[in-house]
Amino acid sequence: MLRLNISDAKTHLSRYLERVERGETILLCRRNLPIAEIRPLTRRTAALRPIGTAPDLRVPPEFFEPLPEDVLSAFEGDDSEEDTEST
């Protein structure tokens, strides 16, 4: 792990970020006292994630169809239907 003072990091940030991209971790220091760690993030996979984890799970095509208006209005907080029914 590379220990690096803030002034060096500011001066040569691009150079150190290249090292981080290659997998190295950098310990950022102020007056030689560690204050932060710069490390690479895990890469996301390009493959699509499956829906659900059960091997026999099947999602019907209707699942992807638009919701009915009454359900949409309930999600959006539209109280107009409830007001007309109570009168």
Side-chain angles (χ1 to χ4, degrees):
M1 182 180 312
L2 174 66
R3 290 177 65 108
L4 185 63
N5 281 313
I6 294 174
S7 60
D8 291 334
K10 290 192 314 187
T11 305
H12 304 289
L13 183 61
S14 297
R15 179 186 312 160
Y16 293 117
L17 288 179
E18 288 174 3
R19 292 174 71 167
V20 170
E21 286 178 328
R22 290 193 302 263
E24 191 171 343
T25 300
I26 295 175
L27 190 61
L28 193 58
C29 302
R30 178 181 292 136
R31 296 184 187 103
N32 294 322
L33 295 174
I35 59 169
E37 187 175 271
I38 304 172
R39 56 186 166 82
L41 297 175
T42 56
R43 301 234 186 244
R44 291 186 178 197
T45 59
L48 295 175
R49 294 176 57 186
I51 298 175
T53 57
D56 58 342
L57 177 69
R58 300 290 179 253
V59 179
E62 301 86 43
F63 178 82
F64 299 100
E65 292 179 4
L67 292 172
E69 285 300 318
D70 59 331
V71 176
L72 284 175
S73 62
F75 275 106
E76 295 170 355
D78 185 10
D79 295 333
S80 60
E81 284 189 28
E82 292 179 13
D83 292 342
T84 57
E85 291 176 7
S86 61
T87 55

